[in-house]
Amino acid sequence: MLFLCLMKRIGLLSDTHATLSPRVFRFFQSVDEIWHAGDIGNAETADRLAAFKPFRAVYGNIDDHILRRMFPETQRFMCENVDVLMTHIGGYPGRYETKVRNQFKIKAPQLFICGHSHILKVVFDPKFHCLHVNPGAAGNKGFHQVCTAVRFVIDGRNIRDLEVLQFERTAFDSYEV
C-alpha cells in the first residue's frame, strides 16, 4: 500500500503596514503558501504577496474597509492534518483575548497564529497542547527595531523546521507599496 504524504512549506508574516522588503520575498522563495496575520496596510501589499505565492490573510486593527472586505478577522482551517487558527489580536498563552479563549474552550487548534505585538514569539502552550506563533513585524512602521518573518514546514500533523528572518529596521531596503 502506497501512502502519499504531502507537506506544505509556509511563510508567515504580520504587521507589514504597507511596506515590503525584497528580503521577505527572497526568504519566502521556497515556500508553498504565505500567511499574513494582519495589519497588511493596503490592498496593494496583499495583491503583491498574492501574486508571488498562494496567499491567506486576516485583517488587523489598522486595515481599512477594503482589506476588511478582502479578508476575515479570523480564519480557522486545516493545513495538512494541522488545525490552524489565525487572527491579528490574539494574546499569548495564559493571556489570550476573550474571543480566542472562547474558541479554545470549544476546541483548541494545534497551531495558533496572531500578530499585533510586533514581537516575534514562538511558544508551546501546554494547557491547550497548542503551538503559538507570532511572527513579529515584517514592515518598517512601528516601535520595533528589528523586522522579522518566519517560515516552517507542516508535514502531516507535524510542525517543524521553523526558521526566522531578522534584519534591522534601519536596514529596510524597500519602499511603500
Side-chain angles (χ1 to χ4, degrees):
M1 185 175 262
L2 177 66
F3 290 96
L4 180 60
C5 185
L6 301 176
M7 66 177 191
K8 293 273 186 167
R9 294 170 305 218
I10 307 299
L12 176 63
L13 71 167
S14 182
D15 296 279
T16 50
H17 293 265
T19 58
L20 288 169
S21 170
R23 296 170 197 233
V24 171
F25 289 95
R26 287 192 298 272
F27 185 63
F28 287 166
Q29 187 64 44
S30 65
V31 305
D32 299 309
E33 297 178 10
I34 296 174
W35 300 349
H36 197 301
D39 279 2
I40 300 163
N42 59 26
E44 293 78 13
T45 300
D47 292 344
R48 188 158 179 226
L49 288 164
F52 182 62
K53 297 284 180 168
F55 183 65
R56 178 186 305 264
V58 295
Y59 70 77
N61 56 297
I62 66 108
D63 292 326
D64 64 13
H65 67 283
I66 295 167
L67 288 166
R68 288 171 189 242
R69 279 195 306 251
M70 292 172 69
F71 303 105
E73 179 181 17
T74 300
Q75 285 205 42
R76 183 93 183 233
F77 57 95
M78 294 296 292
C79 180
E80 292 288 300
N81 295 318
V82 173
D83 181 12
V84 180
L85 175 63
M86 182 168 64
T87 194
H88 183 60
I89 301 175
Y92 291 105
R95 297 185 5 226
Y96 292 115
E97 293 292 320
T98 302
K99 287 180 184 178
V100 171
R101 195 170 45 251
N102 291 339
Q103 288 195 41
F104 275 42
K105 286 178 184 175
I106 296 167
K107 184 177 186 254
Q110 186 177 353
L111 175 60
F112 174 62
I113 296 168
C114 69
H116 187 61
S117 71
H118 291 222
I119 300 167
L120 171 69
K121 188 177 272 194
V122 179
V123 62
F124 183 74
D125 183 343
K127 179 178 179 181
F128 292 104
H129 306 285
C130 173
L131 181 63
H132 168 87
V133 180
N134 183 324
N140 70 351
K141 294 180 181 174
F143 63 87
H144 61 282
Q145 297 303 308
V146 176
C147 297
T148 55
V150 299
R151 66 184 177 197
F152 56 93
V153 172
I154 296 180
D155 188 359
R157 289 194 44 83
N158 298 311
I159 303 163
R160 60 179 174 83
D161 301 337
L162 190 135
E163 299 173 279
V164 175
L165 169 69
Q166 176 178 309
F167 59 95
E168 296 296 318
R169 197 172 109 179
T170 56
F172 202 93
D173 53 353
S174 187
Y175 52 89
E176 289 193 22
V177 179

